[in-house]
Amino acid sequence: MAILDSKGRLFGKINLLDLGAALVILLVIFGIFVFPGTSGSVAQVGAKTVPVEVDLVVRGLNVRNPEQLFDNGLKKGGKTNVIIRNQPYGQIEIKSVQELPRTVNVFQPDGTVKELPDPKANNFSTDMLLTLEGKAQRTESGLVLGSSKVKIGMPFELEGFNYNFNATVIDIRFDK
């Protein structure tokens, strides 16, 4: 009896193509469970964990009554859920919330410009300055919250009981 017959079967029973496909599937399964790879985190082993404060600015948040945000958790000492680059970080503490005044530039007859309060009564747009505080890992390339690097200019998505909006990082402070 020949080892390989005219139809490509091994010992007349097993097709070589089927055997090859079964071996590839077994190797893939073995590779997934025995060598799963890295966790996907940009944080490095041995990175130092430091306290961090992140200042965020919110421009033009459309809300009828900003006080309802503050009454339901968006206040000093509260917590908010943070999503960075579509990656949920979790909850982070709110250190401060400051509502910024709405102003308009008014040109004066002498050519100067004055910044005056916005006189519109039906303005449902709010600007805020938020400071969040938590722990981040300090790496050679910057700070990492969860699995995302944090840099000035990045958008943060903030979510709470009755809000979900984006803010932009304008400052990062940490212990060196």
Side-chain angles (χ1 to χ4, degrees):
M1 180 170 168
I3 295 176
L4 194 63
D5 67 4
S6 64
K7 294 184 180 178
R9 294 183 293 198
L10 193 61
F11 300 113
K13 297 183 183 217
I14 301 172
N15 190 332
L16 283 179
L17 291 176
D18 293 339
L19 180 66
L23 283 174
V24 168
I25 291 171
L26 286 174
L27 286 173
V28 168
I29 291 172
F30 178 76
I32 289 173
F33 290 111
V34 175
F35 302 107
T38 62
S39 65
S41 173
V42 293
Q44 298 171 352
V45 174
K48 184 179 178 185
T49 301
V50 295
V52 66
E53 291 182 0
V54 180
D55 286 340
L56 305 169
V57 68
V58 180
R59 293 278 183 196
L61 178 62
N62 294 320
V63 58
R64 179 180 290 229
N65 181 10
E67 292 301 319
Q68 71 181 342
L69 293 175
F70 308 138
D71 292 341
N72 287 306
L74 189 67
K75 60 186 169 190
K76 180 179 179 176
K79 291 191 180 271
T80 186
N81 293 314
V82 175
I83 301 166
I84 307 168
R85 292 186 180 164
N86 293 328
Q87 297 294 320
Y89 168 71
Q91 287 195 332
I92 193 166
E93 188 172 333
I94 301 169
K95 185 175 181 181
S96 69
V97 178
Q98 177 186 357
E99 192 172 351
L100 301 174
R102 298 289 295 186
T103 60
V104 292
N105 293 329
V106 178
F107 294 94
Q108 302 299 307
D110 64 356
T112 61
V113 178
K114 284 188 179 178
E115 189 175 11
L116 299 174
D118 192 353
K120 289 189 270 181
N122 62 350
N123 189 1
F124 299 115
S125 183
T126 301
D127 295 340
M128 289 185 285
L129 180 64
L130 297 158
T131 302
L132 306 178
E133 64 181 352
K135 301 262 186 214
Q137 292 184 342
R138 184 172 179 220
T139 65
E140 290 180 7
S141 61
L143 295 173
V144 177
L145 279 175
S147 62
S148 300
K149 291 181 183 177
V150 178
K151 308 272 185 180
I152 293 174
M154 285 184 56
F156 271 36
E157 184 178 345
L158 303 176
E159 182 179 10
F161 178 74
N162 64 339
Y163 61 88
N164 185 328
F165 58 85
N166 290 327
T168 304
V169 176
I170 59 170
D171 192 18
I172 303 169
R173 293 179 300 283
F174 60 95
D175 293 336
K176 296 185 181 192

